[in-house]
Amino acid sequence: MTSPPPPTDERDRESYPMNPAVRIRPARWTDKDPVAALIADALHPSSLAAWLVPDLARRRQVLTEVVAIWVEHALFFGDIHLTDDLTAAIVGFHRYRPIPPPANYRTRLAEVAGPHADRFDLLDAFLAEKQPTEPHYHLAFLAVQPHAQNAGRGTALLTHHRSRLDRIDLPAWVTVPSGGEDLLTRYGYTPRPAIALPDGPALHPMRRNAHRHSGSAMPINPARPVDNRWQGFYV
């Protein structure tokens, strides 16, 4: 769900892999609303957000409420890690086997997105064409509050994310906006063919091979795409 530019604190930090002052912890159930709000805040200025919700007056509310559905879902079928000050978060799904969509997703999406639900559905369809079916970790969201950038929070989360991927030894998948490819490449991701949304921004799927099996391939146009819906963006 994005096309915002990559956070500026991640541009040239490979020589500074983690800020020791950034404390990272797993999210609790009580964190779900603050996490949804910070992801929506990071996404709000992007061209994808404008494409999804052209109504500027309702954009932030719609984004927050749709993201909240997926944040809640990740607490059951994935994981969320965030900085202790609640200014940055990373959200992923454990697609080691097929997982169901969020409970009552169609009804909930219609209720919170209203006339904009069709755009989310269209995005779902485009993403489903690229999503792999083999077991993998799906990096769905990485967001840093605009006022908290330039302090290494995103870099700390990605370094933490990379170490966790190496332990589970499975491929990973992410979709990034234009401009975010270089950063993810530093963390082992390689670009796949871009997604061009109709009259909208381009999105860029990327994969990371399993740490000890870097020669393994990941299917890109599967016959049975997993139910990824609209989550899968670096913001």
Side-chain angles (χ1 to χ4, degrees):
M1 67 183 163
T2 89
S3 189
T8 55
D9 61 336
E10 321 310 345
R11 297 297 174 94
D12 296 300
R13 298 291 185 118
E14 192 62 20
S15 62
Y16 179 51
M18 182 174 289
N19 182 342
V22 177
R23 298 180 58 185
I24 298 171
R25 64 171 176 81
R28 299 181 284 265
W29 183 257
T30 53
D31 295 317
K32 63 187 179 69
D33 290 338
V35 169
L38 83 86
I39 293 172
D41 284 346
L43 178 61
H44 185 268
S46 72
S47 56
L48 181 63
W51 183 82
L52 287 167
V53 188
D55 183 353
L56 180 59
R58 295 206 61 223
R59 186 176 302 157
R60 189 181 302 276
Q61 178 182 352
V62 171
L63 292 173
T64 302
E65 293 184 358
V66 177
V67 170
I69 296 174
W70 290 103
V71 168
E72 175 185 304
H73 198 50
L75 289 169
F76 291 104
F77 293 99
D79 54 62
I80 301 173
H81 288 82
L82 65 159
T83 56
D84 220 19
D85 59 2
L86 297 175
T87 58
I90 190 167
V91 179
F93 288 89
H94 302 160
R95 297 193 180 276
Y96 313 152
R97 61 183 63 84
I99 64 175
N104 303 313
Y105 179 71
R106 298 298 318 156
T107 300
R108 295 170 72 185
L109 178 64
E111 288 176 350
V112 300
H116 309 294
D118 288 347
R119 285 289 175 95
F120 289 94
D121 284 336
L122 186 58
L123 183 56
D124 292 347
F126 275 88
L127 292 177
E129 292 178 2
K130 301 290 187 179
Q131 185 83 23
T133 55
E134 77 174 66
H136 66 284
Y137 183 91
H138 180 191
L139 172 53
F141 303 108
L142 173 62
V144 180
Q145 283 277 11
H147 69 82
Q149 293 179 11
N150 302 303
R153 290 173 173 84
T155 296
L157 285 169
L158 277 174
T159 301
H160 182 263
H161 165 71
R162 179 172 58 188
S163 68
R164 293 170 58 238
L165 286 181
D166 289 346
R167 287 197 299 272
I168 64 174
D169 192 33
L170 280 177
W173 187 262
V174 65
T175 305
V176 299
S178 295
E181 305 96 317
D182 289 347
L183 173 61
L184 271 294
T185 297
R186 299 178 188 178
Y187 289 87
Y189 287 86
T190 57
R192 306 305 305 173
I195 299 171
L197 298 174
D199 300 316
L203 302 174
H204 301 272
M206 302 184 76
R207 79 169 187 230
R208 185 183 192 271
N209 290 325
H211 184 59
R212 290 190 294 272
H213 304 285
S214 59
S216 64
M218 183 181 290
I220 300 304
N221 290 298
R224 296 180 297 101
V226 297
D227 189 358
N228 65 298
R229 301 291 175 174
W230 77 297
Q231 25 71 49
F233 301 93
Y234 173 79
V235 296

